[in-house]
Amino acid sequence: MKMNTDRFSLTVDEYLADTNVLLYLNDAVTQLLEHKEEYTQFGVVRYFAEYFTSVKNGNHVLFREFNYIKATPHNRVSFIHIFWKCFRQIGKNGDLLSMSEYSSLLQLLCPDFPVEMIQNTARIVLMDDAMDCLMSFSDFIYSFQIQFYYEEFVESVSMIYQDLLSGKNPNTVIVPTSTSVEQLSSTTNEKPDPQEGVDSSILCECIEALCERFKHKHPSTAAIKEILESSQQVSFYGFLMALAKHEGINQEIDALPNKSDLLIDPEMDQELERLIAQVAISPTSNSSSSAVGQKDSSKKASPRKSLHQRKRIEMESDGSTEETDSSEN
């Protein structure tokens, strides 16, 4: 979680709101009450310590419900990062996947992840055309980052875009006169072509006005200006794709590495090589692991993964890659 350098100038209420501490504290207590027998075995103090360590490290969103993983900017960043860590191998192998396959991968990490958001991501990648086409991991994950992290901003820009496309200016108050009504009706009767786009300068003015009053996260106005000043006309999905490709915006979010480093993860590669070496040296590892599996299966399954389980899965993220491979077959 990023540390706010201005935190010492904030009031107590502002600090709590800025860091979402109360949300996490409420969730920690809720989980403790729901799984009291499981967590109280190793102590309440240790439980809270591990919970907030998990939040700090970004492991806390694994296998959680969608409303939780989108509840805070930190949760969204953590989920995007975990998705990359788990399924980076897809991009490394050069595999192209369909929208439904990406949906299956996301739902492995969040069972109730909505298909609609994945469809919107695919529209960015494919420019709202040929939705059954296959997508590279790189194109999908950077577009997904924009759609998921800036969800409210994207929805607001979509409304502005539709207004401009139909001849309205969201920043203009129209006083109804006989002339203006005739102009408005004639403009409305024309069928706009979404692919042709709108005037970039007007869209930029409207988005700047939106950002001034916007309460949710949004890209920096400098990056938005840079994108929109590069052309006279822009389509909605063209604008979103430009946001997805913008290195500065990617660094602002801080969930994914730069595109040149997207498929590089030395720590994971070393861990994978170590595990492969262990399997090669110990031919009995399969039988021993199956015995452990039989022993664990006799235990009653918890309705929600415990902190220990999430921590173990994060450390064995190469196992998630193997699960991906099996899901693709």
Side-chain angles (χ1 to χ4, degrees):
M1 187 183 296
K2 288 184 178 179
M3 190 69 73
N4 187 347
T5 56
D6 299 326
R7 64 191 184 282
F8 297 114
S9 63
L10 301 175
T11 66
V12 173
D13 291 338
E14 288 173 340
Y15 175 78
L16 291 175
D18 186 58
T19 56
N20 296 290
V21 170
L22 295 181
L23 182 143
Y24 292 119
L25 187 59
N26 180 68
D27 181 69
V29 172
T30 301
Q31 285 202 61
L32 179 62
L33 294 176
E34 288 181 358
H35 309 284
K36 186 184 299 184
E37 294 182 1
E38 179 182 356
Y39 290 141
T40 53
Q41 291 178 359
F42 53 91
V44 174
V45 174
R46 182 180 170 187
Y47 161 75
F48 278 106
E50 292 203 1
Y51 177 90
F52 282 100
T53 299
S54 178
V55 170
K56 178 179 178 295
N57 294 336
N59 309 334
H60 62 302
V61 294
L62 267 173
F63 313 120
R64 292 298 303 271
E65 62 278 7
F66 180 70
N67 284 339
Y68 180 76
I69 68 169
K70 65 171 286 188
T72 71
H74 175 65
N75 286 10
R76 298 186 190 195
V77 167
S78 300
F79 186 80
I80 294 167
H81 186 75
I82 285 177
F83 179 72
W84 166 69
K85 292 277 286 187
C86 288
F87 303 117
R88 172 189 64 101
Q89 197 68 26
I90 293 172
K92 198 170 183 179
N93 294 340
D95 297 330
L96 301 176
L97 301 184
S98 65
M99 182 184 70
S100 60
E101 288 171 320
Y102 280 114
S103 178
S104 297
L105 295 181
L106 285 163
Q107 289 173 352
L108 287 175
L109 304 179
C110 173
D112 65 336
F113 199 94
V115 176
E116 182 182 0
M117 180 163 290
I118 304 164
Q119 292 172 339
N120 291 336
T121 300
R123 289 189 177 97
I124 299 175
V125 177
L126 304 171
M127 302 296 286
D128 199 24
D129 187 33
M131 295 289 287
D132 57 343
C133 289
L134 302 180
M135 296 170 280
S136 71
F137 182 74
S138 175
D139 286 343
F140 180 84
I141 196 167
Y142 284 113
S143 299
F144 172 71
Q145 176 175 244
I146 295 298
Q147 179 63 50
F148 181 52
Y149 187 75
Y150 292 128
E151 179 188 10
E152 295 83 3
F153 172 78
V154 170
E155 290 176 354
S156 297
V157 172
S158 176
M159 294 174 62
I160 291 173
Y161 183 83
Q162 293 301 324
D163 283 346
L164 293 176
L165 205 61
S166 61
K168 303 175 187 175
N169 189 329
N171 293 342
T172 303
V173 178
I174 301 177
V175 179
T177 63
S178 58
T179 306
S180 64
V181 171
E182 289 175 3
Q183 290 177 345
L184 183 61
S185 61
S186 62
T187 306
T188 306
N189 290 333
E190 298 176 2
K191 291 184 178 180
D193 184 1
Q195 298 299 331
E196 290 183 2
V198 299
D199 186 285
S200 298
S201 61
I202 297 177
L203 179 61
C204 186
E205 291 177 5
C206 294
I207 294 178
E208 281 186 303
L210 169 70
C211 292
E212 289 178 1
R213 62 180 187 273
F214 207 57
K215 296 180 180 179
H216 300 279
K217 292 288 185 180
H218 61 79
S220 67
T221 53
I224 294 171
K225 276 185 177 180
E226 180 185 335
I227 291 170
L228 294 177
E229 287 175 356
S230 63
S231 61
Q232 293 183 343
Q233 294 280 118
V234 65
S235 68
F236 176 64
Y237 290 106
F239 173 63
L240 296 185
M241 177 53 79
L243 292 177
K245 291 181 177 180
H246 197 283
E247 287 289 355
I249 293 175
N250 181 56
Q251 291 172 7
E252 286 177 16
I253 299 173
D254 198 27
L256 299 173
N258 293 333
K259 192 168 185 178
S260 58
D261 299 327
L262 183 68
L263 307 181
I264 301 174
D265 190 348
E267 291 183 7
M268 183 185 293
D269 290 338
Q270 289 175 6
E271 182 68 12
L272 185 59
E273 290 174 2
R274 184 183 66 80
L275 291 173
I276 292 174
Q278 284 182 349
V279 171
I281 294 172
S282 175
T284 60
S285 59
N286 288 337
S287 60
S288 63
S289 63
S290 62
V292 173
Q294 291 174 358
K295 183 179 179 181
D296 290 343
S297 64
S298 63
K299 298 180 181 179
K300 183 179 179 181
S302 173
R304 181 182 292 165
K305 299 291 183 183
S306 69
L307 293 174
H308 293 297
Q309 290 173 305
R310 292 204 293 273
K311 187 174 181 181
R312 183 167 63 251
I313 291 171
E314 170 68 8
M315 294 180 66
E316 299 173 357
S317 55
D318 51 289
S320 299
T321 303
E322 294 173 2
E323 190 173 3
T324 306
D325 295 337
S326 65
S327 67
E328 293 173 354
N329 293 333

PDB file of all heavy atoms in Angstrom, residues 199-229:
ATOM      1  N   ASP A 199     -14.708  15.285 -31.533  1.00  0.00           N
ATOM      2  CA  ASP A 199     -13.609  16.250 -31.521  1.00  0.00           C
ATOM      3  C   ASP A 199     -12.778  16.067 -30.236  1.00  0.00           C
ATOM      4  O   ASP A 199     -13.308  16.138 -29.130  1.00  0.00           O
ATOM      5  CB  ASP A 199     -14.171  17.666 -31.586  1.00  0.00           C
ATOM      6  CG  ASP A 199     -13.075  18.705 -31.734  1.00  0.00           C
ATOM      7  OD1 ASP A 199     -12.383  18.972 -30.742  1.00  0.00           O
ATOM      8  OD2 ASP A 199     -12.927  19.245 -32.854  1.00  0.00           O
ATOM      9  N   SER A 200     -11.487  15.849 -30.418  1.00  0.00           N
ATOM     10  CA  SER A 200     -10.609  15.556 -29.269  1.00  0.00           C
ATOM     11  C   SER A 200     -10.533  16.717 -28.285  1.00  0.00           C
ATOM     12  O   SER A 200     -10.507  16.508 -27.063  1.00  0.00           O
ATOM     13  CB  SER A 200      -9.205  15.195 -29.761  1.00  0.00           C
ATOM     14  OG  SER A 200      -9.227  14.044 -30.560  1.00  0.00           O
ATOM     15  N   SER A 201     -10.478  17.939 -28.799  1.00  0.00           N
ATOM     16  CA  SER A 201     -10.329  19.103 -27.923  1.00  0.00           C
ATOM     17  C   SER A 201     -11.562  19.298 -27.041  1.00  0.00           C
ATOM     18  O   SER A 201     -11.449  19.630 -25.855  1.00  0.00           O
ATOM     19  CB  SER A 201     -10.048  20.363 -28.742  1.00  0.00           C
ATOM     20  OG  SER A 201     -11.128  20.627 -29.636  1.00  0.00           O
ATOM     21  N   ILE A 202     -12.743  19.073 -27.611  1.00  0.00           N
ATOM     22  CA  ILE A 202     -13.978  19.215 -26.829  1.00  0.00           C
ATOM     23  C   ILE A 202     -14.063  18.115 -25.771  1.00  0.00           C
ATOM     24  O   ILE A 202     -14.426  18.365 -24.619  1.00  0.00           O
ATOM     25  CB  ILE A 202     -15.217  19.173 -27.751  1.00  0.00           C
ATOM     26  CG1 ILE A 202     -15.192  20.352 -28.730  1.00  0.00           C
ATOM     27  CG2 ILE A 202     -16.492  19.192 -26.928  1.00  0.00           C
ATOM     28  CD1 ILE A 202     -16.340  20.359 -29.715  1.00  0.00           C
ATOM     29  N   LEU A 203     -13.716  16.879 -26.181  1.00  0.00           N
ATOM     30  CA  LEU A 203     -13.722  15.773 -25.219  1.00  0.00           C
ATOM     31  C   LEU A 203     -12.734  16.048 -24.091  1.00  0.00           C
ATOM     32  O   LEU A 203     -13.027  15.783 -22.917  1.00  0.00           O
ATOM     33  CB  LEU A 203     -13.354  14.463 -25.917  1.00  0.00           C
ATOM     34  CG  LEU A 203     -13.304  13.217 -25.025  1.00  0.00           C
ATOM     35  CD1 LEU A 203     -14.668  12.943 -24.393  1.00  0.00           C
ATOM     36  CD2 LEU A 203     -12.831  11.999 -25.810  1.00  0.00           C
ATOM     37  N   CYS A 204     -11.590  16.614 -24.423  1.00  0.00           N
ATOM     38  CA  CYS A 204     -10.579  16.935 -23.411  1.00  0.00           C
ATOM     39  C   CYS A 204     -11.114  17.952 -22.409  1.00  0.00           C
ATOM     40  O   CYS A 204     -10.928  17.796 -21.187  1.00  0.00           O
ATOM     41  CB  CYS A 204      -9.324  17.471 -24.094  1.00  0.00           C
ATOM     42  SG  CYS A 204      -7.943  17.737 -22.960  1.00  0.00           S
ATOM     43  N   GLU A 205     -11.787  18.983 -22.890  1.00  0.00           N
ATOM     44  CA  GLU A 205     -12.370  19.996 -22.001  1.00  0.00           C
ATOM     45  C   GLU A 205     -13.395  19.375 -21.058  1.00  0.00           C
ATOM     46  O   GLU A 205     -13.427  19.682 -19.856  1.00  0.00           O
ATOM     47  CB  GLU A 205     -13.032  21.099 -22.832  1.00  0.00           C
ATOM     48  CG  GLU A 205     -12.049  21.978 -23.604  1.00  0.00           C
ATOM     49  CD  GLU A 205     -12.766  22.994 -24.463  1.00  0.00           C
ATOM     50  OE1 GLU A 205     -14.023  23.069 -24.383  1.00  0.00           O
ATOM     51  OE2 GLU A 205     -12.095  23.713 -25.234  1.00  0.00           O
ATOM     52  N   CYS A 206     -14.222  18.499 -21.605  1.00  0.00           N
ATOM     53  CA  CYS A 206     -15.263  17.858 -20.788  1.00  0.00           C
ATOM     54  C   CYS A 206     -14.652  16.946 -19.728  1.00  0.00           C
ATOM     55  O   CYS A 206     -15.117  16.916 -18.576  1.00  0.00           O
ATOM     56  CB  CYS A 206     -16.204  17.057 -21.682  1.00  0.00           C
ATOM     57  SG  CYS A 206     -17.175  18.058 -22.830  1.00  0.00           S
ATOM     58  N   ILE A 207     -13.608  16.199 -20.098  1.00  0.00           N
ATOM     59  CA  ILE A 207     -12.981  15.293 -19.143  1.00  0.00           C
ATOM     60  C   ILE A 207     -12.246  16.080 -18.061  1.00  0.00           C
ATOM     61  O   ILE A 207     -12.259  15.701 -16.885  1.00  0.00           O
ATOM     62  CB  ILE A 207     -12.020  14.321 -19.865  1.00  0.00           C
ATOM     63  CG1 ILE A 207     -12.815  13.384 -20.779  1.00  0.00           C
ATOM     64  CG2 ILE A 207     -11.219  13.508 -18.852  1.00  0.00           C
ATOM     65  CD1 ILE A 207     -11.955  12.418 -21.572  1.00  0.00           C
ATOM     66  N   GLU A 208     -11.616  17.187 -18.449  1.00  0.00           N
ATOM     67  CA  GLU A 208     -10.949  18.032 -17.452  1.00  0.00           C
ATOM     68  C   GLU A 208     -11.952  18.555 -16.418  1.00  0.00           C
ATOM     69  O   GLU A 208     -11.682  18.574 -15.217  1.00  0.00           O
ATOM     70  CB  GLU A 208     -10.242  19.208 -18.139  1.00  0.00           C
ATOM     71  CG  GLU A 208      -8.915  18.846 -18.771  1.00  0.00           C
ATOM     72  CD  GLU A 208      -8.201  20.079 -19.299  1.00  0.00           C
ATOM     73  OE1 GLU A 208      -8.778  20.810 -20.131  1.00  0.00           O
ATOM     74  OE2 GLU A 208      -7.062  20.313 -18.881  1.00  0.00           O
ATOM     75  N   ALA A 209     -13.115  18.986 -16.915  1.00  0.00           N
ATOM     76  CA  ALA A 209     -14.163  19.462 -16.009  1.00  0.00           C
ATOM     77  C   ALA A 209     -14.649  18.339 -15.102  1.00  0.00           C
ATOM     78  O   ALA A 209     -14.929  18.550 -13.912  1.00  0.00           O
ATOM     79  CB  ALA A 209     -15.322  20.040 -16.811  1.00  0.00           C
ATOM     80  N   LEU A 210     -14.734  17.128 -15.658  1.00  0.00           N
ATOM     81  CA  LEU A 210     -15.141  15.965 -14.860  1.00  0.00           C
ATOM     82  C   LEU A 210     -14.135  15.695 -13.748  1.00  0.00           C
ATOM     83  O   LEU A 210     -14.516  15.470 -12.592  1.00  0.00           O
ATOM     84  CB  LEU A 210     -15.265  14.736 -15.769  1.00  0.00           C
ATOM     85  CG  LEU A 210     -15.427  13.381 -15.068  1.00  0.00           C
ATOM     86  CD1 LEU A 210     -16.801  13.279 -14.406  1.00  0.00           C
ATOM     87  CD2 LEU A 210     -15.226  12.234 -16.050  1.00  0.00           C
ATOM     88  N   CYS A 211     -12.841  15.719 -14.081  1.00  0.00           N
ATOM     89  CA  CYS A 211     -11.794  15.397 -13.106  1.00  0.00           C
ATOM     90  C   CYS A 211     -11.763  16.381 -11.939  1.00  0.00           C
ATOM     91  O   CYS A 211     -11.409  16.008 -10.816  1.00  0.00           O
ATOM     92  CB  CYS A 211     -10.427  15.365 -13.793  1.00  0.00           C
ATOM     93  SG  CYS A 211     -10.231  13.993 -14.957  1.00  0.00           S
ATOM     94  N   GLU A 212     -12.140  17.632 -12.196  1.00  0.00           N
ATOM     95  CA  GLU A 212     -12.123  18.643 -11.140  1.00  0.00           C
ATOM     96  C   GLU A 212     -13.105  18.326 -10.016  1.00  0.00           C
ATOM     97  O   GLU A 212     -12.874  18.689  -8.862  1.00  0.00           O
ATOM     98  CB  GLU A 212     -12.444  20.018 -11.735  1.00  0.00           C
ATOM     99  CG  GLU A 212     -11.321  20.586 -12.596  1.00  0.00           C
ATOM    100  CD  GLU A 212     -11.696  21.920 -13.200  1.00  0.00           C
ATOM    101  OE1 GLU A 212     -12.837  22.395 -12.927  1.00  0.00           O
ATOM    102  OE2 GLU A 212     -10.881  22.497 -13.952  1.00  0.00           O
ATOM    103  N   ARG A 213     -14.192  17.651 -10.353  1.00  0.00           N
ATOM    104  CA  ARG A 213     -15.220  17.353  -9.341  1.00  0.00           C
ATOM    105  C   ARG A 213     -15.334  15.857  -9.041  1.00  0.00           C
ATOM    106  O   ARG A 213     -16.179  15.452  -8.237  1.00  0.00           O
ATOM    107  CB  ARG A 213     -16.587  17.869  -9.832  1.00  0.00           C
ATOM    108  CG  ARG A 213     -17.077  17.210 -11.109  1.00  0.00           C
ATOM    109  CD  ARG A 213     -18.437  17.750 -11.562  1.00  0.00           C
ATOM    110  NE  ARG A 213     -18.978  17.020 -12.690  1.00  0.00           N
ATOM    111  CZ  ARG A 213     -18.734  17.279 -13.954  1.00  0.00           C
ATOM    112  NH1 ARG A 213     -17.929  18.293 -14.276  1.00  0.00           N
ATOM    113  NH2 ARG A 213     -19.269  16.556 -14.932  1.00  0.00           N
ATOM    114  N   PHE A 214     -14.462  15.060  -9.654  1.00  0.00           N
ATOM    115  CA  PHE A 214     -14.581  13.602  -9.546  1.00  0.00           C
ATOM    116  C   PHE A 214     -14.037  13.120  -8.210  1.00  0.00           C
ATOM    117  O   PHE A 214     -12.960  13.520  -7.778  1.00  0.00           O
ATOM    118  CB  PHE A 214     -13.829  12.925 -10.698  1.00  0.00           C
ATOM    119  CG  PHE A 214     -14.359  11.574 -11.071  1.00  0.00           C
ATOM    120  CD1 PHE A 214     -15.681  11.405 -11.447  1.00  0.00           C
ATOM    121  CD2 PHE A 214     -13.530  10.462 -11.058  1.00  0.00           C
ATOM    122  CE1 PHE A 214     -16.173  10.159 -11.811  1.00  0.00           C
ATOM    123  CE2 PHE A 214     -14.005   9.219 -11.418  1.00  0.00           C
ATOM    124  CZ  PHE A 214     -15.329   9.063 -11.790  1.00  0.00           C
ATOM    125  N   LYS A 215     -14.785  12.239  -7.537  1.00  0.00           N
ATOM    126  CA  LYS A 215     -14.399  11.742  -6.218  1.00  0.00           C
ATOM    127  C   LYS A 215     -13.628  10.422  -6.296  1.00  0.00           C
ATOM    128  O   LYS A 215     -13.023   9.996  -5.322  1.00  0.00           O
ATOM    129  CB  LYS A 215     -15.642  11.562  -5.337  1.00  0.00           C
ATOM    130  CG  LYS A 215     -16.372  12.863  -5.028  1.00  0.00           C
ATOM    131  CD  LYS A 215     -17.581  12.608  -4.151  1.00  0.00           C
ATOM    132  CE  LYS A 215     -18.311  13.908  -3.836  1.00  0.00           C
ATOM    133  NZ  LYS A 215     -19.514  13.681  -2.993  1.00  0.00           N
ATOM    134  N   HIS A 216     -13.684   9.782  -7.460  1.00  0.00           N
ATOM    135  CA  HIS A 216     -13.009   8.499  -7.620  1.00  0.00           C
ATOM    136  C   HIS A 216     -11.653   8.694  -8.299  1.00  0.00           C
ATOM    137  O   HIS A 216     -11.315   9.790  -8.737  1.00  0.00           O
ATOM    138  CB  HIS A 216     -13.878   7.539  -8.441  1.00  0.00           C
ATOM    139  CG  HIS A 216     -15.209   7.254  -7.832  1.00  0.00           C
ATOM    140  ND1 HIS A 216     -15.397   6.336  -6.818  1.00  0.00           N
ATOM    141  CD2 HIS A 216     -16.445   7.773  -8.090  1.00  0.00           C
ATOM    142  CE1 HIS A 216     -16.677   6.297  -6.479  1.00  0.00           C
ATOM    143  NE2 HIS A 216     -17.330   7.158  -7.222  1.00  0.00           N
ATOM    144  N   LYS A 217     -10.889   7.612  -8.385  1.00  0.00           N
ATOM    145  CA  LYS A 217      -9.590   7.653  -9.047  1.00  0.00           C
ATOM    146  C   LYS A 217      -9.757   7.925 -10.543  1.00  0.00           C
ATOM    147  O   LYS A 217     -10.685   7.429 -11.173  1.00  0.00           O
ATOM    148  CB  LYS A 217      -8.852   6.331  -8.841  1.00  0.00           C
ATOM    149  CG  LYS A 217      -8.409   6.066  -7.408  1.00  0.00           C
ATOM    150  CD  LYS A 217      -7.255   6.976  -7.033  1.00  0.00           C
ATOM    151  CE  LYS A 217      -6.725   6.644  -5.643  1.00  0.00           C
ATOM    152  NZ  LYS A 217      -5.595   7.512  -5.252  1.00  0.00           N
ATOM    153  N   HIS A 218      -8.818   8.695 -11.084  1.00  0.00           N
ATOM    154  CA  HIS A 218      -8.822   8.958 -12.527  1.00  0.00           C
ATOM    155  C   HIS A 218      -7.391   9.190 -12.986  1.00  0.00           C
ATOM    156  O   HIS A 218      -6.521   9.572 -12.174  1.00  0.00           O
ATOM    157  CB  HIS A 218      -9.705  10.169 -12.862  1.00  0.00           C
ATOM    158  CG  HIS A 218      -9.248  11.443 -12.208  1.00  0.00           C
ATOM    159  ND1 HIS A 218      -8.196  12.207 -12.683  1.00  0.00           N
ATOM    160  CD2 HIS A 218      -9.690  12.093 -11.092  1.00  0.00           C
ATOM    161  CE1 HIS A 218      -8.021  13.269 -11.910  1.00  0.00           C
ATOM    162  NE2 HIS A 218      -8.918  13.214 -10.933  1.00  0.00           N
ATOM    163  N   PRO A 219      -7.099   8.986 -14.269  1.00  0.00           N
ATOM    164  CA  PRO A 219      -5.741   9.249 -14.765  1.00  0.00           C
ATOM    165  C   PRO A 219      -5.405  10.730 -14.619  1.00  0.00           C
ATOM    166  O   PRO A 219      -6.300  11.576 -14.536  1.00  0.00           O
ATOM    167  CB  PRO A 219      -5.824   8.842 -16.249  1.00  0.00           C
ATOM    168  CG  PRO A 219      -7.037   7.977 -16.356  1.00  0.00           C
ATOM    169  CD  PRO A 219      -7.992   8.455 -15.319  1.00  0.00           C
ATOM    170  N   SER A 220      -4.135  11.050 -14.603  1.00  0.00           N
ATOM    171  CA  SER A 220      -3.725  12.445 -14.474  1.00  0.00           C
ATOM    172  C   SER A 220      -4.199  13.238 -15.687  1.00  0.00           C
ATOM    173  O   SER A 220      -4.229  12.724 -16.814  1.00  0.00           O
ATOM    174  CB  SER A 220      -2.204  12.539 -14.353  1.00  0.00           C
ATOM    175  OG  SER A 220      -1.583  12.145 -15.570  1.00  0.00           O
ATOM    176  N   THR A 221      -4.581  14.480 -15.447  1.00  0.00           N
ATOM    177  CA  THR A 221      -5.051  15.322 -16.560  1.00  0.00           C
ATOM    178  C   THR A 221      -3.935  15.575 -17.562  1.00  0.00           C
ATOM    179  O   THR A 221      -4.203  15.764 -18.752  1.00  0.00           O
ATOM    180  CB  THR A 221      -5.585  16.660 -16.027  1.00  0.00           C
ATOM    181  OG1 THR A 221      -4.590  17.280 -15.192  1.00  0.00           O
ATOM    182  CG2 THR A 221      -6.849  16.454 -15.216  1.00  0.00           C
ATOM    183  N   ALA A 222      -2.684  15.551 -17.109  1.00  0.00           N
ATOM    184  CA  ALA A 222      -1.553  15.738 -18.028  1.00  0.00           C
ATOM    185  C   ALA A 222      -1.492  14.603 -19.040  1.00  0.00           C
ATOM    186  O   ALA A 222      -1.282  14.831 -20.243  1.00  0.00           O
ATOM    187  CB  ALA A 222      -0.250  15.813 -17.238  1.00  0.00           C
ATOM    188  N   ALA A 223      -1.693  13.370 -18.565  1.00  0.00           N
ATOM    189  CA  ALA A 223      -1.676  12.217 -19.466  1.00  0.00           C
ATOM    190  C   ALA A 223      -2.875  12.242 -20.411  1.00  0.00           C
ATOM    191  O   ALA A 223      -2.746  11.918 -21.602  1.00  0.00           O
ATOM    192  CB  ALA A 223      -1.685  10.926 -18.647  1.00  0.00           C
ATOM    193  N   ILE A 224      -4.035  12.637 -19.898  1.00  0.00           N
ATOM    194  CA  ILE A 224      -5.235  12.726 -20.737  1.00  0.00           C
ATOM    195  C   ILE A 224      -5.033  13.767 -21.839  1.00  0.00           C
ATOM    196  O   ILE A 224      -5.366  13.528 -23.011  1.00  0.00           O
ATOM    197  CB  ILE A 224      -6.467  13.073 -19.877  1.00  0.00           C
ATOM    198  CG1 ILE A 224      -6.786  11.914 -18.920  1.00  0.00           C
ATOM    199  CG2 ILE A 224      -7.678  13.391 -20.751  1.00  0.00           C
ATOM    200  CD1 ILE A 224      -7.837  12.242 -17.886  1.00  0.00           C
ATOM    201  N   LYS A 225      -4.482  14.928 -21.472  1.00  0.00           N
ATOM    202  CA  LYS A 225      -4.203  15.970 -22.469  1.00  0.00           C
ATOM    203  C   LYS A 225      -3.229  15.477 -23.528  1.00  0.00           C
ATOM    204  O   LYS A 225      -3.412  15.715 -24.722  1.00  0.00           O
ATOM    205  CB  LYS A 225      -3.614  17.210 -21.776  1.00  0.00           C
ATOM    206  CG  LYS A 225      -4.634  18.162 -21.185  1.00  0.00           C
ATOM    207  CD  LYS A 225      -3.927  19.405 -20.652  1.00  0.00           C
ATOM    208  CE  LYS A 225      -4.922  20.420 -20.124  1.00  0.00           C
ATOM    209  NZ  LYS A 225      -4.234  21.637 -19.612  1.00  0.00           N
ATOM    210  N   GLU A 226      -2.184  14.810 -23.081  1.00  0.00           N
ATOM    211  CA  GLU A 226      -1.173  14.300 -24.015  1.00  0.00           C
ATOM    212  C   GLU A 226      -1.794  13.371 -25.050  1.00  0.00           C
ATOM    213  O   GLU A 226      -1.464  13.419 -26.232  1.00  0.00           O
ATOM    214  CB  GLU A 226      -0.086  13.566 -23.228  1.00  0.00           C
ATOM    215  CG  GLU A 226       1.022  12.989 -24.088  1.00  0.00           C
ATOM    216  CD  GLU A 226       2.005  12.159 -23.284  1.00  0.00           C
ATOM    217  OE1 GLU A 226       2.129  12.401 -22.056  1.00  0.00           O
ATOM    218  OE2 GLU A 226       2.651  11.271 -23.871  1.00  0.00           O
ATOM    219  N   ILE A 227      -2.709  12.533 -24.603  1.00  0.00           N
ATOM    220  CA  ILE A 227      -3.358  11.575 -25.504  1.00  0.00           C
ATOM    221  C   ILE A 227      -4.291  12.287 -26.482  1.00  0.00           C
ATOM    222  O   ILE A 227      -4.253  12.052 -27.693  1.00  0.00           O
ATOM    223  CB  ILE A 227      -4.130  10.516 -24.692  1.00  0.00           C
ATOM    224  CG1 ILE A 227      -3.154   9.607 -23.950  1.00  0.00           C
ATOM    225  CG2 ILE A 227      -5.049   9.692 -25.592  1.00  0.00           C
ATOM    226  CD1 ILE A 227      -3.806   8.682 -22.948  1.00  0.00           C
ATOM    227  N   LEU A 228      -5.134  13.173 -25.952  1.00  0.00           N
ATOM    228  CA  LEU A 228      -6.165  13.794 -26.777  1.00  0.00           C
ATOM    229  C   LEU A 228      -5.612  14.887 -27.694  1.00  0.00           C
ATOM    230  O   LEU A 228      -6.227  15.205 -28.713  1.00  0.00           O
ATOM    231  CB  LEU A 228      -7.278  14.355 -25.892  1.00  0.00           C
ATOM    232  CG  LEU A 228      -8.088  13.292 -25.138  1.00  0.00           C
ATOM    233  CD1 LEU A 228      -9.114  13.943 -24.224  1.00  0.00           C
ATOM    234  CD2 LEU A 228      -8.780  12.348 -26.118  1.00  0.00           C
ATOM    235  N   GLU A 229      -4.472  15.473 -27.349  1.00  0.00           N
ATOM    236  CA  GLU A 229      -3.883  16.497 -28.209  1.00  0.00           C
ATOM    237  C   GLU A 229      -3.108  15.910 -29.386  1.00  0.00           C
ATOM    238  O   GLU A 229      -2.654  16.637 -30.263  1.00  0.00           O
ATOM    239  CB  GLU A 229      -2.948  17.397 -27.383  1.00  0.00           C
ATOM    240  CG  GLU A 229      -3.694  18.342 -26.444  1.00  0.00           C
ATOM    241  CD  GLU A 229      -2.756  19.148 -25.557  1.00  0.00           C
ATOM    242  OE1 GLU A 229      -1.522  18.906 -25.631  1.00  0.00           O
ATOM    243  OE2 GLU A 229      -3.242  20.018 -24.801  1.00  0.00           O
TER     244      GLU A 229
END
